[in-house]
Amino acid sequence: MNTRQPSSMKAIGLHTYGGPEVLQAVELPEPHAGPGEVRVRVRAAGVNPADAMLRDGSLAEWYRDLEPPFIPGMDVAGTLDEVADDVKTSYGLSEGEPVIGILDNHGRHGGYSEYVVLPAESVTRQPVGTTFPEAASFLMNALTARSILDALALTPGSTLVVTGAGGAVGGYVVQLAAAEDLHVVAVASEHDEEWLRSHGADTFVARGEGIAQRVLDVVPGGVDAVADSALLHDRIAPAIRDNGKIAVVRFWDDDPGRGIVVHPVNVRSRVTDNVAISRLREQVEAGELTLRVAATWPADQAAEAHRLLEKGGLRGRPVLEFPPAATM
């Protein structure tokens, strides 16, 4: 029996920071689309490391002036069920269309929800031929990869090391870089070598001790840039040539020296970049980007998805699924 008030919705959130067990079902007011916005009836929500950082308190300073519950989730796929009139005119979107979206989640606004309201710039049509879980698995990571490459601004033929190349962000950097004719040196587990070579890596170096020297062994003189999705930081910096570049995705502000420029990347700055978001969808449809779902769970089993994420070594993203009709 549905006992909820008509104006409420189900979400998965947390009242206190901690392990996966703090995630629980909560009731929130249903949001509604205003000018320039759309409302998505969420069918699937990707589970990303940023969600675990919210849950475990790593982002507590950012949330300190807000009241819980806090709702994780930046990747969603679902159907439009409210579209502002100006959006219908400007974007050609209408109710009932399947879409994907990326959220700048904060406080009670997050993707682990039955409904989310987003700026129209933050959504694009769901890639043709994909399921909702597949469609919810890639956008945040692919947009992060796009942001890394845009920050580095390399010319075709440049040599790029991608650390953590077997992971979600690193894998998309490899594929996007290959599509732009960069020479890609992938650093990952030996188990990932075949997949990476088949998806655009020109050179493979197994991760582990002495990684900078082993990269220099295959690229004498150093590489032009590093996309450091594995957070190796000063362990990989010696592999960069003088006046080269390194893009980092987490809180590292050291100076590697030798004129090397550090480019911090935060995907939240790109969540309304509709040109980039739509282009990534097109690249999925063209087969240039591969969608990888590690596993799916009903939304109320979000704790299990977070436990899998914490084990590490995933090749793909866990995804939460919401039913097509609201039930409690």
Side-chain angles (χ1 to χ4, degrees):
M1 178 182 297
N2 187 348
T3 59
R4 298 181 305 161
Q5 297 299 314
S7 61
S8 67
M9 70 169 182
K10 175 183 175 182
I12 304 299
L14 55 131
H15 289 273
T16 60
Y17 298 121
E21 69 280 356
V22 303
L23 294 168
Q24 58 185 281
V26 299
E27 293 285 325
L28 296 175
E30 249 184 54
H32 294 282
E37 295 178 334
V38 299
R39 187 172 85 163
V40 179
R41 173 68 177 92
V42 177
R43 295 295 308 279
V47 177
N48 288 290
D51 305 347
M53 292 175 67
L54 164 57
R55 189 209 73 231
D56 68 18
S58 297
L59 303 178
E61 181 63 21
W62 191 40
Y63 281 70
R64 63 187 174 88
D65 295 327
L66 300 175
E67 291 292 325
F70 304 140
I71 311 301
M74 295 182 70
D75 269 327
V76 295
T79 55
L80 295 178
D81 74 342
E82 290 182 5
V83 180
D85 289 341
D86 60 331
V87 172
K88 293 178 183 179
T89 302
S90 300
Y91 289 85
L93 296 172
S94 57
E95 286 87 352
E97 285 194 81
V99 296
I100 58 174
I102 181 168
L103 290 80
D104 185 1
N105 69 309
H106 198 214
R108 299 185 180 192
H109 174 63
Y112 296 9
S113 305
E114 286 183 333
Y115 298 95
V116 292
V117 168
L118 298 169
E121 295 94 336
S122 297
V123 304
T124 190
R125 291 179 175 86
Q126 181 174 327
V128 173
T130 63
T131 65
F132 284 121
E134 289 170 340
S137 72
F138 85 98
L139 186 53
M140 176 191 171
N141 297 288
L143 189 58
T144 302
R146 179 70 269 156
S147 299
I148 287 170
L149 290 173
D150 289 348
L152 294 174
L154 300 172
T155 57
S158 298
T159 302
L160 173 69
V161 163
V162 183
T163 70
V169 171
Y172 288 128
V173 175
V174 169
Q175 293 179 80
L176 290 171
E180 295 173 11
D181 296 323
L182 301 180
H183 182 95
V184 178
V185 180
V187 174
S189 165
E190 292 177 350
H191 300 295
D192 295 312
E193 180 175 1
E194 181 179 353
W195 188 92
L196 288 165
R197 288 189 181 278
S198 68
H199 287 79
D202 300 285
T203 304
F204 178 84
V205 180
R207 67 189 184 191
E209 294 298 319
I211 185 59
Q213 183 57 53
R214 289 188 289 113
V215 169
L216 289 170
D217 289 343
V218 297
V219 187
V223 300
D224 296 303
V226 169
D228 191 20
S229 66
L231 316 182
L232 298 186
H233 299 158
D234 53 6
R235 288 173 285 168
I236 193 64
I240 307 170
R241 64 167 173 79
D242 292 355
N243 303 310
K245 308 173 185 180
I246 180 170
V248 297
V249 293
R250 299 258 186 97
F251 322 124
W252 188 62
D253 56 6
D254 287 0
D255 180 2
R258 298 187 293 113
I260 296 170
V261 179
V262 178
H263 293 274
V265 172
N266 187 337
V267 72
R268 294 179 190 273
S269 68
R270 302 291 295 275
V271 298
T272 57
D273 187 342
N274 194 255
V275 172
I277 290 168
S278 297
R279 175 60 183 147
L280 292 169
R281 182 252 302 161
E282 293 169 355
Q283 290 181 285
V284 170
E285 294 176 337
E288 294 177 10
L289 295 178
T290 303
L291 305 187
R292 295 189 286 174
V293 176
T296 63
W297 283 268
D300 59 8
Q301 295 179 26
E304 294 304 314
H306 274 238
R307 289 187 182 101
L308 179 66
L309 187 71
E310 285 193 337
K311 289 181 180 178
L314 290 182
R315 297 301 176 254
R317 283 287 175 242
V319 176
L320 304 180
E321 293 188 273
F322 285 85
T327 57
M328 282 291 289

